[in-house]
Amino acid sequence: GTELGERWLLCRVHGTIVGLAGLIPDYYGNGRARSRGASVLPEYRRKDIGSALMHEVLNLAKRLRQNRMTIYTFSYLDRLAPGASLYLRSGGKIEAEYLQLQM
C-alpha cells in the first residue's frame, strides 16, 4: 500500500510498539480515504490508546485534505466487530452491512 500513499501511525510505550493505525489517502477518489483500522495489543486495551490513535489518524486525514474515510470491519451476526465501538465513538457511522454465505 505504500505505493498508494499509505500512512501508518505507531504508538509506543517504553519503546515497544503497542498499537497502530493507518489510512490510504484518496483511495476512493479525491478526498476519500480508506482507513486501515486501529489495532492495540490486548494487554494495552482500555487505556485510551485506541482513541488516541484514531484521534491522530483523523487529524492526519484532515491535514491530507480527506473529507471522508471508509473502514471495513468483520463481525459476527450477533455483535459488532471489536473495533466498531471505537470507530463509532470517533464519529463514524455504520452505512452498510454485508452478508456472505458459503455454499
Side-chain angles (χ1 to χ4, degrees), residues 1-71:
T2 53
E3 58 274 350
L4 298 175
E6 190 168 20
R7 312 286 179 91
W8 288 94
L9 301 173
L10 302 176
C11 177
R12 295 177 191 258
V13 174
H14 304 297
T16 301
I17 297 172
V18 300
L20 59 96
L23 69 98
I24 304 172
D26 300 321
Y27 187 84
Y28 296 106
N30 198 14
R32 297 176 57 216
R34 178 175 180 175
S35 173
R36 302 301 272 156
S39 299
V40 177
L41 291 175
E43 60 269 28
Y44 289 92
R45 292 179 187 158
R46 302 203 181 276
K47 298 180 182 195
D48 291 326
I49 292 172
S51 295
L53 280 166
M54 283 304 301
H55 177 77
E56 291 303 320
V57 85
L58 290 169
N59 283 339
L60 174 61
K62 290 175 188 173
R63 287 194 307 274
L64 295 173
R65 294 185 171 88
Q66 304 299 293
N67 54 42
R68 183 179 180 98
M69 190 160 49
T70 301
I71 184 166

